[in-house]
Structure formats: structure tokens, C-alpha cells
Amino acid sequence: MGEDFISYELKEFKLFEPLFRWARKKSLWIVAFCTGCGGIEMPPLFNARYDLERFGMMPNPAPRMADLFLITGYVTPKTLKRIIITYEMMPDPKYILAHGSCPINGGVYWDSYNVVKQLDKYIPIDVAIAGCMPRPEAVMDGIQEIMRKIESGEADGWKRYRENYEWYRKNQDELFGEGWREKDAKRWLAWL
Amino acid sequence: MFDWKLALEAIGMIIYATFMGFIFMGIERKAMARIQRRVGPPIYQPLIDTLKLLGKKESISHGFIYDFGPVFALGASIAALLFIPIANFQLFSSNADLIVVAYLLEVPMLGIMLGAMSSGNPYSAVGVQRGLLTMVAMQLPYGLALIALIQHWGTFKLSNIVALQQIHGWSITVPALFLAFIVFDIVFQAMLGLEPFDVIAAPAEISMGPMVEYGGKHAALLFTQHAVQLFAETAFFAVLFLGGASNLLELLVKQIAVLFIAIFVASIYPRFTIDQAAKFFWKWPTILGIIAVILTMGW
Ligand code: SF4
């Protein structure tokens, strides 16, 4: 993490925890990061037919305000770098919902040199939905599942990421090579 | 001597305004959803959102000014609220409280910009530039509308304006002031940050504008600020043009009426680019405002 900002971890108020859990479940904001084919299937979730705003969900262009990250399809290493950075920018109780078979095991791109086969090795996934592309009903079912998990406190991807950071970091570095953040940031300097 | 009654009244008013402001935000979202044939979130959704933002376990800060910006903005909107006559209560008043409120309603924008600038995010910087240009552009018609109003009623005191309207009829029934009302309504859209003039936040265009780096508790503070601001602005509008109110219910009806005009306009117009917004503000509302001022001089 950079030097120019302070990040504090806040104490957990045990007494209000049920209230906060209910609030988290009822207002999941999605960071609008569309990868792969699922980018097409995300807008229909928010229009008149399958209105996800009923559950208090809102697509949000800023990662700092988001709670839920929808991985909507295949992930290439180039996208994965951005996904990891976005995920790390989100403040703490944060959840990942992967849909489609590509994030689970590579899907139809099992033979590709350029698709990440198992996303769970790089960032923690809370709920995954199968299907190539899942219907909006299936996505809504996954969202119901994640709401149930938040209520019961099982959706702990952010905790796993914090506790097993070494492991995730090791996998990421294996894929991209050490120091990829700096290298990627400096990549365009030569072309300016 | 510490005035307990005043302090209690102020606290009660702030709580009422915050709560109603959140409900107004909910009404805004619900009405927009109904216009698009959606079910929409429950009306108390902004309260849940704020609660969730407060329940975040991590918070990012870019330094002292970054923390100070939202607090400053919230303080300014609360100060504006305390000067406005809400039904029978007006806690503070001075000789020229119209000017005080008109400018206190602008200050929160500056607070947000101040915090946003110190985050060092280029999106915030673009948002701040647009925000300041919108503010500069809307001052001219805003000022003209207020001048027309002051010239007609001949007083700077909000409570006097309410009293005069109760005797002579509402401001909008006067032809010259009706023009001022139209001008103020256009400016109001920009003050609320609603659609034709939402160049400041511009979701999807420049991420979230100044708010892009705010998350967690800071965002909760900004949400609260927006709620208070919404309440104060609609109340100010109702007091200036719709004849104030003698009880909270009447005020509420007028505020919601004002809010619905804003929502209906916002949900059918796309966003202006910043140069169009500036050009627009300096053209039609300004012309109307000048006509209104000249007409009020004639009478
Ligand atoms: S699972 Fe199917 S629809 Fe989804 S990204 Fe992969 S190929 Fe596309």
C-alpha cells in the first residue's frame, strides 16, 4: 500500500453487529467493473424487468464506496491486475460474487494461455454461480445466497484475504512476476 | 447564561431535518424508479446505506484536510438550517439572514471540494474544476432571483418575507416574482446536483467526481450532509416563494412539491457538458432574472 494515505482498522462494536449486518445485507453497492461476456448481462439486472434496486443494490463507479464485486466472466492476467487493485481499494467488509464458469475453472477457455483458470487462487470468492452466461434469475439467486451469508456472517472473503495474504500474494507473484505493481505503473512511461 | 431551551430546540430540529432529509433522498430514488417502471428501493433506503457506511471496518484517510472537508460541509449545512424559519421555529435570525442562508447553502460544496482536492485523485480534480465552474455560473441567476425578491418585499429578513407573504399572497402569484421563481427553480436543480446540471458528480462520466475517494465513514458523513442540505434547500425554497408555513405538515407538503418538480425535470433530461451548463446559466436564466429585476423596480 502507498505511503500517502493512512488506513485505520476500526474496532468491532459487538453490540451493534447484528444491526450492521442487516444494513450490509440490505445495501450492497456493486462496483461497476464488467469483465468478459457478463458485462452485457449486468445492465439488465438493473432495469425495469429484474430490478435489483429493490434489494437496495446500486451500481457504483467508485471502488471506495463499493461492497460487492461481481466478476462477470473470464479474467485475463491483464484484467486480473486491475481486479486485484480494485479489490484492495474497497474498504473492508467486501464480497466477491463470481458468475459464469470462466472464473471457476476457465470454462470454455480451459486451453487458453491467457485466461486465469482458477480465480480463487488470486482473490477470495464468496459465492460462485455456474452457467455460461447465467440467467439474471440465477444471478439474483446468487445474490440472495450472498445476502444470507452476510446475515449469518459466513461471507468472510475479506477476512480470508487479510489472514492468508501471503498465500494470495505468492500466487499473484507467480503469475505476474515480482514487483508487478510498479512495473505496470511504469510501463507507459517509455511511450509518453 | 446558557440557554437550554434553545439548545434543545436546535438539537431537535437537526434530528428532524436529518431524518426527513434521508426520507427525501429515499423519495427521490423511489420516484425515479417509478418513472422508469421499476419497483425501486424502499423509502428508508438512504438510512440503511448510511448505517452500512458507518459499519465499515476500515477507513482510508489522505490527511487532515481530507477528514476536515466533510465535517466542514456538514457544519455549514447545519448552520444554514438553523437560520431558516422552519414552520414557527426560527432559532437564529439577523438583519440580513436571507443573504446568510443563501451563502451558507453554497459553502458545503466548497467543503467537499476542499476534501476532494487533498486526496490527489485526478478524477476528483476534474470534478472539483467542474464544480467550481458550475458554482460561478449559477451565482449570477441565483443573485438576480434573490434581488428581485428582496426588491419586491423590501426586506432582507426571512421571517418578514414569510409574514408579508401571509398578508399579500405567495410570491409566485406576483408576475415579476414568478419569473424569479422559474430562475430559482433552474438554479435549484444545480444546487441539488440533479440531472441536467449534475456535472459535478457525473457518475459514469468521471467516476464519481469529487466523491471518488470517499468511502466508509467519510461517505456516511457526506450522505448525512446531503440529507441536511436537501432539507434546508427545499425549506428555503418554500419559505421564499411558497409563503412559508405555519406548521411542520404544511411545510412538508410544500417541500415535497418542490422536490417533485426537481425529480420530474431530472428524470427526463440528460446531463449537460460543463461548457453547455455555463453557457446556459449565463443565457436564459440570466435574461429572465434581469427582466424580473426590472419589473420589480417598476412596481
Ligand atoms: S462463462 Fe461463458 S459467458 Fe461467461 S465469460 Fe466465460 S465464456 Fe463468457
Side-chain angles (χ1 to χ4, degrees):
Chain A
M1 287 198 173
E3 301 296 300
D4 57 339
F5 59 76
I6 318 147
S7 158
Y8 356 61
E9 211 181 324
L10 301 152
K11 245 198 253 136
E12 200 166 329
F13 293 104
K14 280 275 178 302
L15 184 61
F16 296 119
E17 203 50 23
L19 182 66
F20 282 144
R21 271 190 192 157
W22 174 78
R24 273 174 209 146
K25 165 184 116 172
K26 283 284 183 185
S27 98
L28 287 166
W29 289 355
I30 295 174
V31 49
F33 190 111
C34 301
T35 62
C37 321
I40 305 283
E41 290 288 334
M42 217 158 96
L45 286 172
F46 289 97
N47 66 12
R49 188 155 179 196
Y50 309 99
D51 178 24
L52 270 191
E53 217 183 351
R54 280 177 297 160
F55 308 126
M57 309 183 82
M58 200 160 71
N60 201 322
R64 291 266 191 235
M65 282 194 198
D67 316 287
L68 182 62
F69 201 158
L70 291 182
I71 310 284
T72 54
Y74 56 79
V75 175
T76 60
K78 197 173 171 182
T79 321
L80 185 56
K81 286 176 191 167
R82 275 79 183 169
I83 288 182
I84 290 168
I85 292 169
T86 311
Y87 183 67
E88 285 177 359
M89 272 173 83
M90 286 155 63
D92 233 345
K94 50 193 171 187
Y95 316 99
I96 291 192
L97 179 91
H99 51 114
S101 31
C102 285
I104 303 174
N105 56 7
V108 288
Y109 302 109
W110 59 276
D111 201 13
S112 165
Y113 67 96
N114 203 20
V115 167
V116 172
K117 299 296 174 322
Q118 197 190 342
L119 190 63
D120 216 0
K121 265 167 72 182
Y122 307 102
I123 43 170
I125 289 176
D126 288 307
V127 171
I129 315 160
C132 179
M133 193 68 229
R135 297 254 331 142
E137 287 95 333
V139 180
M140 275 152 74
D141 190 48
I143 282 166
Q144 294 291 343
E145 175 70 12
I146 209 164
M147 282 180 175
R148 192 190 59 71
K149 281 193 166 183
I150 292 169
E151 182 96 270
S152 65
E154 286 168 58
D156 54 354
W158 55 277
K159 239 185 242 167
R160 272 185 281 140
Y161 194 68
R162 220 167 241 282
E163 280 158 13
N164 312 329
Y165 185 65
E166 273 81 53
W167 189 73
Y168 286 112
R169 189 64 201 251
K170 185 176 69 63
N171 288 340
Q172 289 165 11
D173 283 346
E174 252 166 41
L175 186 65
F176 306 129
E178 294 269 340
W180 55 273
R181 283 162 215 255
E182 291 75 30
K183 243 183 257 161
D184 221 48
K186 292 202 188 107
R187 201 169 154 198
W188 296 103
L189 284 183
W191 299 94
L192 283 182
Chain B
M1 174 62 198
F2 188 70
D3 194 347
W4 283 104
K5 191 165 158 283
L6 186 70
L8 280 181
E9 270 177 356
I11 290 171
M13 186 128 97
I14 291 168
I15 291 173
Y16 174 75
T18 318
F19 181 73
M20 283 327 285
F22 277 126
I23 297 294
F24 285 172
M25 281 160 77
I27 289 176
E28 198 182 302
R29 278 177 70 179
K30 186 87 181 171
M32 292 232 184
R34 296 306 303 175
I35 288 169
Q36 299 163 357
R37 282 206 178 183
R38 290 187 287 123
V39 178
I43 254 172
Y44 49 88
Q45 182 64 37
L47 280 169
I48 307 179
D49 289 345
T50 313
L51 204 61
K52 176 209 69 181
L53 288 169
L54 284 174
K56 286 271 183 199
K57 294 217 170 63
E58 196 186 35
S59 192
I60 305 281
S61 166
H62 294 267
F64 173 68
I65 296 293
Y66 181 82
D67 297 337
F68 175 69
V71 177
F72 177 62
L74 180 61
S77 358
I78 288 177
L81 178 76
L82 295 183
F83 274 99
I84 299 174
I86 309 277
N88 305 330
F89 311 99
Q90 186 180 22
L91 299 180
F92 302 105
S93 94
S94 59
N95 265 336
D97 48 7
L98 199 153
I99 307 289
V100 175
V101 174
Y103 278 90
L104 276 178
L105 287 178
E106 303 280 311
V107 171
M109 198 111 93
L110 293 178
I112 296 170
M113 310 262 155
L114 189 69
M117 259 335 238
S118 67
S119 72
N121 189 316
Y123 284 117
S124 316
V126 173
V128 169
Q129 279 178 3
R130 288 160 161 241
L132 292 180
L133 188 52
T134 320
M135 264 177 77
V136 169
M138 80 194 206
Q139 291 307 318
L140 188 57
Y142 188 31
L144 286 170
L146 291 184
I147 288 171
L149 203 81
I150 292 163
Q151 217 159 41
H152 184 83
W153 296 120
T155 169
F156 279 101
K157 266 178 93 96
L158 285 175
S159 47
N160 286 359
I161 288 183
V162 174
L164 281 170
Q165 287 184 64
Q166 238 119 55
I167 302 165
H168 300 290
W170 294 3
S171 291
I172 48 168
T173 54
V174 182
L177 289 189
F178 187 73
L179 290 182
F181 163 77
I182 293 172
V183 175
F184 196 86
D185 201 48
I186 295 170
V187 173
F188 188 63
Q189 209 76 17
M191 281 184 1
L192 294 185
L194 280 176
E195 210 72 79
F197 306 109
D198 70 337
V199 277
I200 303 162
E205 195 181 326
I206 44 167
S207 200
M208 284 286 269
M211 277 72 91
V212 66
E213 276 286 312
Y214 283 111
K217 306 250 171 347
H218 296 83
L221 214 56
L222 285 183
F223 250 63
T224 317
Q225 184 269 327
H226 187 72
V228 179
Q229 175 89 357
L230 195 57
F231 186 88
E233 271 165 7
T234 44
F236 187 50
F237 198 126
V239 163
L240 286 186
F241 288 98
L242 301 185
S246 53
N247 57 37
L248 283 178
L249 191 67
E250 195 187 336
L251 185 73
L252 198 65
V253 171
K254 285 175 181 172
Q255 279 178 313
I256 288 178
V258 165
L259 191 67
F260 265 103
I261 300 176
I263 293 169
F264 290 153
V265 172
S267 49
I268 53 171
Y269 280 100
R271 185 182 304 142
F272 274 140
T273 61
I274 181 63
D275 57 322
Q276 284 168 340
K279 248 185 228 159
F280 178 82
F281 271 127
W282 283 327
K283 212 184 218 168
W284 302 113
T286 306
I287 293 171
L288 277 182
I290 290 172
I291 294 174
V293 170
I294 291 172
L295 282 182
T296 47
M297 274 200 294
W299 266 272

